[in-house]
Short mmCIF file of all heavy atoms in Angstrom, two decimals:
data_model
loop_
_atom_site.label_atom_id
_atom_site.label_comp_id
_atom_site.label_asym_id
_atom_site.label_seq_id
_atom_site.Cartn_x
_atom_site.Cartn_y
_atom_site.Cartn_z
N VAL A 211 3.40 -28.48 9.03
CA VAL A 211 3.61 -27.96 10.38
C VAL A 211 2.26 -27.84 11.04
O VAL A 211 1.37 -27.14 10.54
CB VAL A 211 4.31 -26.59 10.33
CG1 VAL A 211 4.50 -26.05 11.74
CG2 VAL A 211 5.64 -26.71 9.63
N LEU A 212 2.13 -28.53 12.15
CA LEU A 212 0.83 -28.51 12.84
C LEU A 212 0.71 -27.27 13.72
O LEU A 212 1.65 -26.91 14.43
CB LEU A 212 0.68 -29.76 13.70
CG LEU A 212 0.28 -31.04 12.97
CD1 LEU A 212 0.03 -32.15 13.97
CD2 LEU A 212 -0.97 -30.83 12.12
N ALA A 213 -0.46 -26.65 13.65
CA ALA A 213 -0.76 -25.51 14.51
C ALA A 213 -1.94 -25.89 15.38
O ALA A 213 -2.98 -26.29 14.88
CB ALA A 213 -1.09 -24.27 13.66
N GLY A 214 -1.78 -25.77 16.64
CA GLY A 214 -2.86 -26.11 17.55
C GLY A 214 -2.84 -27.58 17.94
O GLY A 214 -2.07 -28.38 17.41
N GLU A 215 -3.70 -27.90 18.86
CA GLU A 215 -3.77 -29.26 19.37
C GLU A 215 -5.13 -29.85 19.04
O GLU A 215 -6.06 -29.14 18.64
CB GLU A 215 -3.54 -29.25 20.88
CG GLU A 215 -2.17 -28.72 21.27
CD GLU A 215 -2.01 -28.65 22.77
OE1 GLU A 215 -3.03 -28.80 23.46
OE2 GLU A 215 -0.87 -28.43 23.22
N THR A 216 -5.22 -31.15 19.21
CA THR A 216 -6.48 -31.82 18.92
C THR A 216 -7.56 -31.33 19.87
O THR A 216 -7.28 -30.94 21.01
CB THR A 216 -6.30 -33.34 19.01
OG1 THR A 216 -7.51 -33.97 18.66
CG2 THR A 216 -5.92 -33.75 20.44
N ALA A 217 -8.81 -31.37 19.39
CA ALA A 217 -9.91 -30.87 20.21
C ALA A 217 -11.18 -31.62 19.83
O ALA A 217 -11.32 -32.12 18.71
CB ALA A 217 -10.11 -29.37 19.99
N ASN A 218 -12.09 -31.71 20.80
CA ASN A 218 -13.39 -32.32 20.54
C ASN A 218 -14.35 -31.25 20.05
O ASN A 218 -14.22 -30.07 20.38
CB ASN A 218 -13.93 -32.96 21.83
CG ASN A 218 -13.03 -34.08 22.30
OD1 ASN A 218 -12.31 -34.69 21.50
ND2 ASN A 218 -13.05 -34.36 23.59
N ASN A 219 -15.33 -31.69 19.28
CA ASN A 219 -16.23 -30.71 18.68
C ASN A 219 -17.56 -31.35 18.33
O ASN A 219 -17.61 -32.49 17.85
CB ASN A 219 -15.59 -30.12 17.42
CG ASN A 219 -16.42 -29.01 16.82
OD1 ASN A 219 -16.99 -28.22 17.56
ND2 ASN A 219 -16.52 -28.98 15.51
N ALA A 220 -18.61 -30.64 18.62
CA ALA A 220 -19.95 -31.05 18.19
C ALA A 220 -20.38 -30.13 17.07
O ALA A 220 -20.12 -28.92 17.12
CB ALA A 220 -20.92 -30.96 19.35
N ALA A 221 -21.05 -30.68 16.06
CA ALA A 221 -21.33 -29.86 14.88
C ALA A 221 -22.62 -30.31 14.21
O ALA A 221 -23.03 -31.48 14.31
CB ALA A 221 -20.18 -29.96 13.89
N ILE A 222 -23.25 -29.37 13.54
CA ILE A 222 -24.33 -29.70 12.61
C ILE A 222 -23.67 -29.98 11.27
O ILE A 222 -23.02 -29.10 10.70
CB ILE A 222 -25.33 -28.54 12.50
CG1 ILE A 222 -26.01 -28.30 13.84
CG2 ILE A 222 -26.35 -28.81 11.41
CD1 ILE A 222 -26.90 -27.09 13.88
N THR A 223 -23.78 -31.16 10.82
CA THR A 223 -23.06 -31.56 9.61
C THR A 223 -23.92 -31.49 8.36
O THR A 223 -23.40 -31.61 7.26
CB THR A 223 -22.50 -32.97 9.78
OG1 THR A 223 -23.55 -33.85 10.16
CG2 THR A 223 -21.41 -33.00 10.83
N ALA A 224 -25.22 -31.33 8.53
CA ALA A 224 -26.07 -31.22 7.33
C ALA A 224 -27.37 -30.54 7.70
O ALA A 224 -27.90 -30.72 8.80
CB ALA A 224 -26.37 -32.61 6.75
N LEU A 225 -27.85 -29.72 6.79
CA LEU A 225 -29.19 -29.12 6.89
C LEU A 225 -29.76 -29.04 5.47
O LEU A 225 -29.21 -28.32 4.63
CB LEU A 225 -29.14 -27.73 7.52
CG LEU A 225 -30.46 -26.97 7.50
CD1 LEU A 225 -31.52 -27.69 8.34
CD2 LEU A 225 -30.29 -25.54 8.01
N ALA A 226 -30.78 -29.81 5.22
CA ALA A 226 -31.41 -29.82 3.89
C ALA A 226 -32.90 -29.58 4.08
O ALA A 226 -33.55 -30.23 4.90
CB ALA A 226 -31.17 -31.16 3.21
N VAL A 227 -33.39 -28.62 3.37
CA VAL A 227 -34.80 -28.25 3.49
C VAL A 227 -35.47 -28.45 2.13
O VAL A 227 -34.91 -28.07 1.10
CB VAL A 227 -34.96 -26.79 3.97
CG1 VAL A 227 -36.43 -26.43 4.13
CG2 VAL A 227 -34.23 -26.59 5.27
N ARG A 228 -36.64 -29.04 2.13
CA ARG A 228 -37.40 -29.20 0.87
C ARG A 228 -38.85 -28.91 1.15
O ARG A 228 -39.32 -28.93 2.29
CB ARG A 228 -37.22 -30.61 0.31
CG ARG A 228 -37.77 -31.71 1.21
CD ARG A 228 -37.79 -33.03 0.49
NE ARG A 228 -38.19 -34.11 1.38
CZ ARG A 228 -39.45 -34.38 1.74
NH1 ARG A 228 -40.43 -33.60 1.30
NH2 ARG A 228 -39.73 -35.39 2.55
N ARG A 229 -39.57 -28.64 0.04
CA ARG A 229 -41.01 -28.42 0.15
C ARG A 229 -41.70 -29.75 0.41
O ARG A 229 -41.24 -30.81 -0.07
CB ARG A 229 -41.54 -27.80 -1.14
CG ARG A 229 -41.24 -26.33 -1.29
CD ARG A 229 -41.99 -25.52 -0.26
NE ARG A 229 -41.66 -24.08 -0.38
CZ ARG A 229 -42.04 -23.20 0.53
NH1 ARG A 229 -42.68 -23.58 1.61
NH2 ARG A 229 -41.74 -21.94 0.35
N SER A 230 -42.80 -29.66 1.11
CA SER A 230 -43.57 -30.87 1.37
C SER A 230 -44.23 -31.35 0.07
O SER A 230 -44.63 -30.53 -0.78
CB SER A 230 -44.64 -30.60 2.42
OG SER A 230 -45.53 -31.67 2.50
N LEU A 231 -44.29 -32.65 -0.09
CA LEU A 231 -44.87 -33.20 -1.30
C LEU A 231 -46.39 -33.09 -1.30
O LEU A 231 -47.04 -33.11 -2.34
CB LEU A 231 -44.45 -34.66 -1.46
CG LEU A 231 -42.95 -34.91 -1.59
CD1 LEU A 231 -42.65 -36.39 -1.63
CD2 LEU A 231 -42.41 -34.21 -2.82
N VAL A 232 -46.97 -32.94 -0.17
CA VAL A 232 -48.43 -32.93 -0.08
C VAL A 232 -48.97 -31.57 0.32
O VAL A 232 -50.14 -31.26 0.04
CB VAL A 232 -48.90 -34.00 0.94
CG1 VAL A 232 -48.60 -35.39 0.42
CG2 VAL A 232 -48.25 -33.78 2.30
N ASP A 233 -48.16 -30.76 0.93
CA ASP A 233 -48.63 -29.46 1.40
C ASP A 233 -47.84 -28.38 0.68
O ASP A 233 -46.61 -28.31 0.80
CB ASP A 233 -48.42 -29.36 2.92
CG ASP A 233 -49.00 -28.07 3.49
OD1 ASP A 233 -49.52 -27.26 2.69
OD2 ASP A 233 -48.91 -27.88 4.72
N PRO A 234 -48.52 -27.53 -0.10
CA PRO A 234 -47.77 -26.51 -0.86
C PRO A 234 -47.05 -25.51 0.04
O PRO A 234 -46.10 -24.86 -0.40
CB PRO A 234 -48.84 -25.83 -1.70
CG PRO A 234 -50.13 -26.16 -1.03
CD PRO A 234 -49.97 -27.48 -0.38
N ILE A 235 -47.51 -25.35 1.26
CA ILE A 235 -46.79 -24.41 2.14
C ILE A 235 -45.98 -25.17 3.20
O ILE A 235 -45.41 -24.56 4.09
CB ILE A 235 -47.76 -23.44 2.83
CG1 ILE A 235 -48.75 -24.21 3.71
CG2 ILE A 235 -48.46 -22.56 1.82
CD1 ILE A 235 -49.59 -23.31 4.60
N GLY A 236 -45.96 -26.44 3.08
CA GLY A 236 -45.22 -27.23 4.05
C GLY A 236 -43.76 -27.38 3.65
O GLY A 236 -43.36 -27.14 2.51
N TYR A 237 -42.97 -27.72 4.61
CA TYR A 237 -41.55 -27.94 4.35
C TYR A 237 -41.06 -29.05 5.26
O TYR A 237 -41.71 -29.39 6.26
CB TYR A 237 -40.74 -26.67 4.61
CG TYR A 237 -40.75 -26.22 6.05
CD1 TYR A 237 -39.81 -26.68 6.96
CD2 TYR A 237 -41.73 -25.32 6.50
CE1 TYR A 237 -39.84 -26.28 8.28
CE2 TYR A 237 -41.77 -24.92 7.81
CZ TYR A 237 -40.83 -25.39 8.71
OH TYR A 237 -40.85 -25.01 10.02
N ALA A 238 -39.97 -29.61 4.90
CA ALA A 238 -39.33 -30.63 5.72
C ALA A 238 -37.84 -30.33 5.78
O ALA A 238 -37.22 -30.06 4.74
CB ALA A 238 -39.56 -32.02 5.14
N ALA A 239 -37.32 -30.33 6.99
CA ALA A 239 -35.90 -30.01 7.18
C ALA A 239 -35.19 -31.23 7.74
O ALA A 239 -35.58 -31.76 8.78
CB ALA A 239 -35.75 -28.82 8.14
N LEU A 240 -34.16 -31.65 7.05
CA LEU A 240 -33.33 -32.75 7.52
C LEU A 240 -32.12 -32.17 8.24
O LEU A 240 -31.33 -31.43 7.65
CB LEU A 240 -32.87 -33.62 6.36
CG LEU A 240 -31.85 -34.71 6.71
CD1 LEU A 240 -32.46 -35.77 7.62
CD2 LEU A 240 -31.27 -35.34 5.47
N VAL A 241 -32.02 -32.49 9.51
CA VAL A 241 -30.91 -31.98 10.33
C VAL A 241 -30.03 -33.16 10.71
O VAL A 241 -30.53 -34.19 11.15
CB VAL A 241 -31.43 -31.27 11.59
CG1 VAL A 241 -30.26 -30.74 12.42
CG2 VAL A 241 -32.37 -30.15 11.21
N GLU A 242 -28.72 -32.98 10.53
CA GLU A 242 -27.79 -34.02 10.93
C GLU A 242 -26.71 -33.39 11.82
O GLU A 242 -26.20 -32.31 11.50
CB GLU A 242 -27.13 -34.65 9.70
CG GLU A 242 -26.22 -35.82 10.05
CD GLU A 242 -25.54 -36.39 8.81
OE1 GLU A 242 -26.16 -37.23 8.14
OE2 GLU A 242 -24.42 -35.96 8.51
N ALA A 243 -26.46 -34.05 12.92
CA ALA A 243 -25.44 -33.55 13.85
C ALA A 243 -24.52 -34.70 14.24
O ALA A 243 -24.90 -35.87 14.17
CB ALA A 243 -26.09 -32.95 15.10
N GLU A 244 -23.31 -34.33 14.66
CA GLU A 244 -22.34 -35.36 15.00
C GLU A 244 -21.37 -34.80 16.03
O GLU A 244 -21.10 -33.59 16.04
CB GLU A 244 -21.59 -35.83 13.74
CG GLU A 244 -20.73 -37.06 13.99
CD GLU A 244 -20.18 -37.64 12.68
OE1 GLU A 244 -20.62 -37.19 11.61
OE2 GLU A 244 -19.31 -38.52 12.77
N TYR A 245 -20.89 -35.68 16.86
CA TYR A 245 -19.89 -35.28 17.85
C TYR A 245 -18.58 -35.95 17.51
O TYR A 245 -18.49 -37.17 17.42
CB TYR A 245 -20.33 -35.67 19.26
CG TYR A 245 -19.37 -35.23 20.31
CD1 TYR A 245 -19.07 -33.87 20.49
CD2 TYR A 245 -18.74 -36.14 21.15
CE1 TYR A 245 -18.19 -33.45 21.46
CE2 TYR A 245 -17.85 -35.73 22.13
CZ TYR A 245 -17.58 -34.38 22.27
OH TYR A 245 -16.68 -33.95 23.22
N PHE A 246 -17.56 -35.13 17.36
CA PHE A 246 -16.23 -35.64 17.04
C PHE A 246 -15.40 -35.59 18.32
O PHE A 246 -14.65 -34.65 18.56
CB PHE A 246 -15.60 -34.80 15.94
CG PHE A 246 -16.44 -34.73 14.70
CD1 PHE A 246 -17.31 -33.67 14.50
CD2 PHE A 246 -16.39 -35.72 13.74
CE1 PHE A 246 -18.09 -33.60 13.37
CE2 PHE A 246 -17.17 -35.65 12.60
CZ PHE A 246 -18.03 -34.60 12.43
#
Side-chain angles (χ1 to χ4, degrees):
Chain A
V211 179
L212 281 186
E215 298 176 349
T216 183
N218 297 335
N219 185 39
I222 296 174
T223 53
L225 172 63
V227 182
R228 63 169 174 79
R229 283 293 178 190
S230 170
L231 299 175
V232 293
D233 184 358
I235 61 171
Y237 65 89
L240 172 67
V241 180
E242 184 182 275
E244 189 171 350
Y245 182 60
F246 304 94

